[in-house]
Amino acid sequence: MATAAAQERCVFCEIVAGRLPASFVYTDDDVVAFLDIRPLTSGHLLVIPRQHADRLETLDPGPGAQVFTVAQQLAVRLRRSGFCAGTNLFLADGVLAGQEVFHVHLHVIPRTQRDGFGLRARRRGQPDRAKLDATADLIRERLGRPPPDDQLSPHPPAEPPGGGGAPSR
Ligand code: 5GP
Ligand code: ZN
């Protein structure tokens, strides 16, 4: 939880509190969505929790889930209405990931033909299965998860980190 002083300086908290203007498209008890002041495409939205959280690490799971649910609904309804043909969702967590405003926000970027938006990245070849498995081993180790039960299946269905149950600590 951020200090009151840190929250006071947070531009998105100011928007939530109504002390800075924003063009809202959606509000509920946990989440608000408004237009990005420097849009990447027409209709570029930011979905944010009302409660201040600087990064994913400090975001409560309830509001976090609602941020995604609202972004999903906005994306679906924008596409169905013909506003756009598709959507990109994007979230920057941390300076290295490009985060500039330290109040968690999910970008909803409506896509249309020739809108000029694109992601630039270089794929790291196509690692063989042994390399992919070694990376999965490393990640499971870092997450503190046990190796998969080989008895079940050679390729068990993918589970989210935490296996869908209570997260291990
Ligand atoms: P980030 O790089 O942190 O993922 O994105 C921050 C986003 O917040 C940027 O797209 C930027 O244009 C937007 N932004 C920054 N300040 C304001 C503001 O005062 N109002 C609105 N509506 N958007 C803002
Ligand atoms: Zn804030």
Side-chain angles (χ1 to χ4, degrees), residues 12-146:
F12 288 174
C13 280
E14 293 294 294
I15 286 173
V16 168
R19 289 190 288 270
L20 280 179
S23 300
F24 291 93
V25 298
Y26 177 87
T27 64
D28 67 27
D29 288 348
D30 293 323
V31 162
V32 304
F34 51 89
L35 283 156
D36 193 296
I37 205 167
R38 291 173 59 223
L40 292 167
T41 65
S42 173
H44 177 177
L45 299 169
L46 301 171
V47 185
I48 72 169
R50 284 182 184 272
Q51 188 183 46
H52 181 85
D54 59 346
R55 294 190 56 163
L56 290 179
E57 213 168 324
T58 52
L59 177 65
D60 284 343
Q66 183 65 357
V67 164
F68 184 82
T69 299
V70 168
Q72 179 185 14
Q73 283 298 315
L74 290 170
V76 168
R77 291 172 68 174
L78 286 177
R79 193 193 60 73
R80 284 191 184 154
S81 73
F83 185 86
C84 58
T87 320
N88 284 109
L89 302 185
F90 178 76
L91 191 152
D93 182 50
V95 173
L96 221 88
Q99 185 174 3
E100 289 175 355
V101 175
F102 279 80
H103 179 132
V104 172
H105 50 281
L106 184 54
H107 296 258
V108 178
I109 304 168
R111 302 300 309 275
T112 51
Q113 285 273 358
R114 292 180 290 279
D115 58 19
F117 179 83
L119 292 175
R120 263 197 303 133
R122 187 175 53 83
R123 289 195 191 271
R124 297 169 165 272
Q126 189 164 346
D128 60 19
R129 182 58 50 198
K131 173 74 181 145
L132 292 171
D133 283 348
T135 305
D137 286 346
L138 175 66
I139 290 173
R140 272 199 316 276
E141 185 192 309
R142 296 291 166 93
L143 295 173
R145 304 294 305 169

